[in-house]
């Protein structure tokens, strides 16, 4: 039971006792006057009325003083530290009975807050804050780190030192990127955000979810949420504050769930491959022998098996990316052939949904440097999404061309339901699905996450434009093979090896 609830229970008990006493006084008055003095009628009523008046006058007076005593002590504590109060002594809270624990707790908090205000006032007056003596900094149960304008560490509290497994001497004065080996789930890492804030903002805040921290001894503290505060030109010299929120338990459960699902779907690959083989064999052997309805059933079976295969591949690729085990080998290839291959495979799916795929491929496209399998999956995911969300338009446009930057760009456009503006910033996050569509259209929320990971591993860029009830356009770029000539090539086929990483480190960690 917390202090407030305990106080409420005590007050409730005192009020109950007062009400019982009031009733006893009235009952006692009636008993004495009626039984002993044998008063009756109007005289008896007058005596009872008088007893009630006396009881209702005296009891509330004593009760109010008793019950409001905790409020008086707290008010006295506030006046004691108030700058405009004169000679108000500190309250004596040691002997108080009613609400004692609550009063002690609140008065202690008042004195602590007064200490913080005093520290702030000293800072404003030009006296620098000493974090080693700062109550808030040292008492904060969360890992806290303070940086100067060079992003060197001025202070790290004990929880932070325990996390990074370093002493105060080994931490203070060091650059933050040599101490915190952070990995982020997006391209906006801490160093990039700070560089942007320094260039354009006086004050900025930022929150990251699922940040991984590797310790100096090689151990991994799985995942945290990270909050950062930036204050340019702070007079005390501390421009950046970092606070970590330990989410290891909850995020580890998610990772374990993903690993289990990946293991489960891996076991589905063989039966699904057999199923697709039998469907294709039936389609070939019975060609021309089936009526339109039966042939339609086979087409739907084939499309469903293809969808399930895509789901299995997505889950396995996500698991590989999360464990930094997915390696892409970029080779010289004809982009038009890859696009046509995707369109050919998606044609059956589109036909089942009643959607027409319309392609426009620039005939002068240069060869590109891609991993054919992953590039195929990117375009297939985008086309599949366009088919699912095409709405009543029933037309999807796929275009490939050379953009103004000399990159090979491909767009997939539909005139369907569109995407709400509030959803767009989170669209490429793992498992993210709009609450408006997830109950209407099936999916895992992995396709766009994988597409972004694959495109960025190729050195390209993926983007989206959308408007509700108007349509959506996805686009991505791949690099012409001629622009990759300077990269180191290994293997008999001159492969260019790239990793699709789900976790992005601070680049500054490697440049210092």
């Amino acid at each position: 039971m917390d202090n407030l609830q305990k106080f409420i229970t005590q007050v409730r008990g005192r009020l109950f006792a007062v009400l019982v006493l009031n009733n006893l006084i009235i009952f006692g008055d009636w008993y004495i006057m009626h039984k002993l003095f044998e008063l009756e009628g109007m005289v008896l009523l007058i005596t009872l009325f008088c007893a009630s008046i006396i009881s209702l006058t005296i009891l509330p007076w004593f009760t109010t003083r008793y019950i409001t005593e905790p409020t008086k002590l707290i008010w006295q504590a506030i006046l004691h530290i108030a700058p405009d109060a004169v000679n108000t002594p500190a309250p004596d809270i040691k002997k108080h009975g009613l609400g004692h624990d609550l009063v002690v707790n609140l008065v202690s908090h008042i004195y602590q807050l007064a200490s913080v205000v005093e520290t702030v006032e000293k800072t404003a007056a030009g006296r620098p804050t000493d974090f080693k003596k700062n109550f808030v900094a040292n008492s904060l149960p969360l890992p806290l780190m303070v940086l100067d304008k060079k992003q060197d560490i001025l202070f790290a509290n004990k929880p932070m030192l325990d996390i990074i497994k370093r002493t105060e001497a080994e931490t203070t004065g060091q650059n933050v990127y040599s101490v915190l080996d952070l990995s982020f789930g997006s391209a906006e890492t801490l160093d990039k955000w700070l560089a942007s804030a320094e260039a354009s903002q006086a004050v900025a805040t930022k929150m990251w979810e699922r940040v991984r921290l590797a310790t100096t001894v090689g151990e991994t503290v799985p995942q945290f949420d990270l909050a950062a505060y930036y204050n340019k030109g702070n007079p005390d010299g501390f421009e950046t504050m970092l606070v970590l929120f330990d989410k290891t338990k909850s995020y580890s459960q998610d990772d374990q769930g993903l690993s289990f699902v990946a293991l489960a779907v891996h076991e589905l690959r063989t039966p699904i491959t057999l199923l697709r083989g039998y469907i294709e064999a039936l389609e070939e052997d019975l060609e021309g022998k089936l009526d339109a309805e039966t042939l339609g059933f086979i087409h739907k079976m084939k499309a469903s098996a293809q969808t399930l295969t895509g789901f299995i591949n997505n889950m396995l690729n996500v698991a590989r990316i999360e464990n930094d085990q997915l390696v892409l080998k970029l080779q010289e290839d004809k982009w038009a052939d890859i696009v046509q291959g995707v369109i050919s495979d998606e044609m059956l799916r589109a036909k089942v949904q009643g959607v027409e795929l319309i392609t426009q491929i620039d005939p002068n496209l240069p060869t590109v440097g891609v991993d054919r399998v992953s590039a195929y999956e990117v375009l297939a995911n985008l086309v599949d999404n366009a088919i699912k969300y095409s709405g009543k338009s029933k037309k999807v446009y796929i275009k490939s061309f050379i953009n103004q930057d000399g990159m090979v760009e491909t767009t997939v456009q539909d005139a369907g339901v569109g995407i709400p503006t509030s959803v767009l910033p989170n669209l490429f996050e793992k498992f993210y699905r709009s609450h408006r569509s997830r109950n209407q259209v099936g999916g895992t929320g992995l396709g766009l996450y994988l597409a972004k990971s694959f495109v960025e591993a190729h050195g390209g860029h993926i983007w989206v434009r959308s408007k509700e009830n108007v349509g959506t356009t996805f686009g991505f770029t791949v690099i012409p093979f001629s622009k990759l000539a300077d990269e180191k090539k290994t293997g008999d086929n001159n492969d260019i090896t790239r990793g699709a990483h789900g976790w992005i480190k601070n680049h500054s960690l490697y440049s210092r």
Side-chain angles (χ1 to χ4, degrees), residues 261-274 308 311-312:
V261 172
L263 178 63
V265 298
H266 185 272
E267 297 301 317
L268 293 174
R269 296 190 73 175
T270 299
I272 291 300
T273 301
L274 290 174
L308 190 53
F311 165 75
I312 291 172

Side-chain angles (χ1 to χ4, degrees), residues 3 6-8 10-11 14 62-76 90-107:
N3 294 332
K6 184 177 179 180
F7 173 66
I8 292 173
Q10 289 176 341
V11 171
R14 274 34 171 211
F62 283 106
T63 303
T64 301
R65 292 195 61 182
Y66 181 70
I67 292 179
T68 58
E69 185 67 17
T71 306
K72 177 183 175 182
L73 293 173
I74 296 172
W75 179 243
Q76 188 176 348
D92 183 8
I93 59 176
K94 296 181 180 180
K95 299 180 180 181
H96 183 66
L98 181 64
H100 177 266
D101 294 339
L102 179 66
V103 171
V104 171
N105 185 272
L106 291 178
V107 170

Side-chain angles (χ1 to χ4, degrees), residues 311 388-389 433 438 441-446:
F311 165 75
K388 288 192 294 187
Y389 296 98
R433 301 196 67 213
R438 60 190 174 198
V441 182
T444 60
L446 295 175

Side-chain angles (χ1 to χ4, degrees), residues 160-344:
M160 179 65 80
L161 296 175
D162 291 341
I163 288 287
I164 61 179
K165 301 185 184 303
R166 288 173 178 249
T167 64
E168 181 181 342
E170 294 172 333
T171 304
T172 305
Q174 300 297 314
N175 187 269
V176 64
Y177 303 113
S178 66
V179 174
L180 292 182
D181 186 357
L182 301 173
S183 298
F184 295 82
S186 67
E188 190 175 19
T189 56
L190 174 63
D191 62 323
K192 287 187 176 181
W193 175 77
L194 279 176
S196 175
E198 289 172 357
S200 60
Q201 300 182 66
V203 178
T205 58
K206 176 69 176 176
M207 185 78 179
W208 291 266
E209 295 182 347
R210 289 181 175 271
V211 178
R212 288 185 173 179
L213 171 65
T215 67
T216 55
V217 294
E219 299 175 359
T220 299
V221 180
Q223 295 174 68
F224 290 82
D225 288 349
L226 170 65
Y229 170 78
Y230 172 75
N231 183 7
K232 190 172 186 176
N234 184 282
D236 275 336
F238 51 88
E239 292 202 351
T240 307
M241 290 188 179
L242 306 177
V243 179
L244 295 177
F245 301 85
D246 189 359
K247 294 295 185 69
T248 301
K249 185 176 180 179
S250 58
Y251 289 157
S252 293
Q253 290 175 347
D254 293 344
D255 294 340
Q256 291 171 3
L258 178 62
S259 299
F260 174 77
V261 172
L263 178 63
V265 298
H266 185 272
E267 297 301 317
L268 293 174
R269 296 190 73 175
T270 299
I272 291 300
T273 301
L274 290 174
L275 181 61
R276 292 186 65 185
Y278 288 139
I279 292 173
E280 292 174 0
L282 283 173
E283 189 177 30
E284 292 177 3
D285 292 343
L286 300 177
E287 185 177 3
K289 301 177 183 179
L290 301 175
D291 57 73
E293 184 179 11
T294 305
L295 185 61
F297 290 156
I298 291 181
H299 286 169
K300 290 179 179 179
M301 290 170 58
K302 186 176 181 179
S304 296
Q306 187 176 346
T307 300
L308 190 53
T309 299
F311 165 75
I312 291 172
N313 290 337
N314 283 348
M315 290 301 303
L316 294 177
N317 284 332
V318 168
R320 294 189 186 107
I321 289 174
E322 289 296 295
N323 294 316
D324 285 336
Q325 294 177 349
L326 185 63
V327 177
L328 309 182
K329 293 188 176 181
L330 278 56
Q331 299 179 348
E332 186 174 14
D333 211 329
K334 295 180 179 179
W335 185 246
D337 292 348
I338 297 175
V339 175
Q340 292 291 2
V342 172
I343 299 305
S344 177

Side-chain angles (χ1 to χ4, degrees), residues 282-486:
L282 283 173
E283 189 177 30
E284 292 177 3
D285 292 343
L286 300 177
E287 185 177 3
K289 301 177 183 179
L290 301 175
D291 57 73
E293 184 179 11
T294 305
L295 185 61
F297 290 156
I298 291 181
H299 286 169
K300 290 179 179 179
M301 290 170 58
K302 186 176 181 179
S304 296
Q306 187 176 346
T307 300
L308 190 53
T309 299
F311 165 75
I312 291 172
N313 290 337
N314 283 348
M315 290 301 303
L316 294 177
N317 284 332
V318 168
R320 294 189 186 107
I321 289 174
E322 289 296 295
N323 294 316
D324 285 336
Q325 294 177 349
L326 185 63
V327 177
L328 309 182
K329 293 188 176 181
L330 278 56
Q331 299 179 348
E332 186 174 14
D333 211 329
K334 295 180 179 179
W335 185 246
D337 292 348
I338 297 175
V339 175
Q340 292 291 2
V342 172
I343 299 305
S344 177
D345 290 342
E346 292 290 330
M347 195 68 73
L348 175 60
R349 232 164 178 179
K351 184 178 180 181
V352 170
Q353 298 291 332
V355 176
E356 180 184 2
L357 301 181
I358 302 172
T359 60
Q360 182 180 335
I361 303 175
D362 190 332
N364 299 318
L365 291 179
T367 58
V368 294
V370 295
D371 179 281
R372 191 179 184 94
V373 174
S374 59
Y376 174 98
E377 289 192 25
V378 172
L379 184 54
N381 268 319
L382 297 182
V383 173
D384 182 54
N385 281 345
I387 292 172
K388 288 192 294 187
Y389 296 98
S390 59
K392 298 179 181 179
S393 67
K394 299 302 180 184
K395 288 186 178 181
V396 172
Y397 299 87
I398 300 98
K399 300 178 182 179
S400 289
F401 53 92
I402 296 290
N403 67 15
Q404 60 183 7
D405 297 322
M407 303 282 280
V408 176
E409 186 163 0
T410 300
T411 61
V412 179
Q413 180 181 4
D414 66 69
V417 297
I419 304 171
T421 303
S422 60
V423 171
L424 290 176
N426 304 312
L427 206 56
F428 295 99
E429 293 182 7
K430 183 174 57 179
F431 295 124
Y432 183 82
R433 301 196 67 213
S434 170
H435 67 280
R436 299 189 184 184
S437 61
R438 60 190 174 198
N439 294 327
Q440 302 172 3
V441 182
T444 60
L446 295 175
L448 294 178
Y449 167 78
L450 287 170
K452 183 175 185 292
S453 298
F454 288 154
V455 169
E456 291 180 348
H458 278 84
H461 172 66
I462 189 169
W463 53 268
V464 59
R465 288 195 301 265
S466 186
K467 187 174 181 180
E468 284 190 271
N469 302 317
V470 175
T472 302
T473 300
F474 281 93
F476 68 97
T477 59
V478 290
I479 303 177
F481 189 75
S482 59
K483 293 188 176 184
L484 298 174
D486 295 335

Side-chain angles (χ1 to χ4, degrees), residues 70-86 88-91 106-111 113-114:
T71 306
K72 177 183 175 182
L73 293 173
I74 296 172
W75 179 243
Q76 188 176 348
I78 294 174
L79 290 179
H80 176 65
I81 63 172
D84 56 346
V86 180
T88 302
L106 291 178
V107 170
S108 298
H109 277 77
I110 289 170
Y111 290 159
L113 290 173

